[in-house]
Amino acid sequence: MNVKIATAQYDISFLADWSGYRQKIERWVAEACAQDANILLFPEYFSMELASLFAQEIYSSLSNQLVAMQSLHDDFMMLFKSLAQQHHCIIQAGTFPVLIDADVYHNRAYLFMADGTVDYQDKLMMTRFENEHWLIKGGKELKCFDTEYGRIAINICYDSEFPLLARKQVEAGCLIILVPSCTDTVAGFNRVKIGCQARALENQCYVVQASLVGNASWSEAVDVNVGAAAIYTPVDRGFPDNGILSVGIFNDVQWVIAEISLSACAKVREQGQVFNHKDWPLQVDLVSS
């Protein structure tokens, strides 16, 4: 089965109202679907531009932003649900900070299906900024999602740097791992990039990274954003020699779109030059003995 994936280098904006946000998202989705994309991936925390819709005393305060954004959560959900149904595609709508309990937020990645169903993966591993400044807590459940294109997993940004998470999902049958990311330094971007490529190498699967780009001086949370979206592959016969199927121009605003073959993963796992996926248990035996 072949699947066309669109992953975003999405620019954060200062918006006038909800209508402006809706029109921007509709434009992005329509552009990807006009190129026959089946799965669309947006970046981590791309929803934070919604904080610009509120008064300055709110959008200039991180804690106030998180509180105010809850009033837009239902509208956010309805927008992406309707677009996934309208365009008959799967949309991984980046992440949205969701209030779970009193002063407890999760960084949540929603997955909107073409049939109207919705599921989510919470970020599991928190960065220092999330722990120390945002007070966002990590989720506890690692999921896999059954779709018309097979099983899909989500590793949110920092999660992609921890190999046992992706491995668990791959062992459950996932061939595509979506990585919405938000990084404010080149080093941070490269950490996620290297993590994504390593996960694709060791699991002989596809890993797709989306990046938030552009500056938002009005926001303490996402004031600086750098990166490039990409679709990473195994590094073996039948795939690019560098394991990069497609990558965007660093910090440009664009979709990165490419077609992947799910059967190619099964083939390389059986006929590849190396057997990273199959040989994974050997290392476990070596270190546990």
Side-chain angles (χ1 to χ4, degrees):
M1 177 186 294
N2 289 353
V3 184
K4 186 171 281 190
I5 296 182
T7 179
Q9 288 179 205
Y10 182 90
D11 59 320
I12 192 161
S13 304
F14 190 92
L15 301 163
D17 50 34
W18 172 260
S19 177
Y21 178 74
R22 186 187 69 248
Q23 290 172 20
K24 179 181 180 181
I25 296 300
E26 288 174 346
R27 185 172 63 251
W28 272 83
V29 171
E31 181 181 332
C33 291
Q35 300 179 65
D36 299 320
N38 307 115
I39 300 173
L40 282 61
L41 173 63
F42 285 96
E44 180 187 33
Y45 288 129
F46 88 125
S47 61
M48 292 305 296
E49 68 181 353
L50 287 170
S52 66
L53 303 186
F54 300 99
Q56 182 174 358
E57 60 267 21
I58 292 178
Y59 73 65
S60 60
S61 164
L62 183 52
S63 59
N64 288 342
Q65 283 184 41
L66 295 178
V67 172
M69 282 185 61
Q70 305 313 301
S71 67
L72 296 173
H73 177 264
D74 289 348
D75 291 332
F76 178 90
M77 297 291 290
M78 288 301 299
L79 173 61
F80 283 97
K81 181 178 180 180
S82 66
L83 287 172
Q85 291 177 294
Q86 175 188 339
H87 292 279
H88 194 78
C89 64
I90 294 173
I91 304 177
Q92 199 295 286
T95 69
F96 192 107
V98 177
L99 181 65
I100 303 300
D101 204 350
D103 296 324
V104 175
Y105 293 86
H106 283 179
N107 185 12
R108 180 160 290 178
Y110 286 107
L111 192 67
F112 296 88
M113 308 293 190
D115 65 2
T117 59
V118 183
D119 209 334
Y120 66 87
Q121 172 68 61
D122 284 340
K123 191 173 185 177
L124 304 176
M125 308 295 292
M126 295 294 100
T127 63
R128 287 191 62 192
F129 186 80
E130 287 169 314
N131 270 327
E132 299 169 15
H133 298 277
W134 283 55
L135 304 179
I136 293 180
K137 304 300 181 184
K140 300 299 182 185
E141 184 180 4
L142 185 65
K143 296 183 177 182
C144 295
F145 307 98
D146 291 314
T147 78
E148 59 189 299
Y149 308 112
R151 285 200 136 189
I152 291 175
I154 300 172
N155 284 183
I156 302 171
C157 201
Y158 193 41
D159 288 345
S160 69
E161 299 175 33
F162 295 86
L164 297 184
L165 301 179
R167 184 64 190 187
K168 182 76 172 179
Q169 293 164 316
V170 168
E171 288 177 345
C174 296
L175 290 177
I176 302 171
I177 300 175
L178 304 178
V179 181
S181 72
C182 172
T183 51
D184 60 359
T185 65
V186 175
F189 161 70
N190 279 312
R191 283 194 295 270
V192 179
K193 173 183 180 289
I194 291 166
C196 289
Q197 287 204 266
R199 303 298 79 81
L201 167 72
E202 66 207 12
N203 293 300
Q204 294 178 300
C205 68
Y206 294 100
V207 180
V208 186
Q209 180 181 6
S211 289
L212 194 62
V213 299
N215 297 330
S217 58
W218 50 270
S219 173
E220 179 187 353
V222 285
D223 53 340
V224 179
N225 307 281
V226 299
I231 299 171
Y232 302 112
T233 73
V235 186
D236 209 320
R237 58 167 62 101
F239 294 98
D241 290 336
N242 61 359
I244 304 174
L245 181 60
S246 187
V247 62
I249 299 171
F250 194 77
N251 279 351
D252 270 15
V253 178
Q254 64 180 119
W255 279 114
V256 175
I257 301 178
E259 188 171 77
I260 65 171
S261 168
L262 299 180
S263 61
C265 289
K267 183 176 180 179
V268 79
R269 288 176 179 180
E270 292 298 325
Q271 302 176 21
Q273 296 167 322
V274 291
F275 292 134
N276 298 85
H277 174 265
K278 187 184 296 183
D279 289 341
W280 177 278
L282 299 179
Q283 65 179 328
V284 178
D285 293 342
L286 288 168
V287 299
S288 61
S289 60

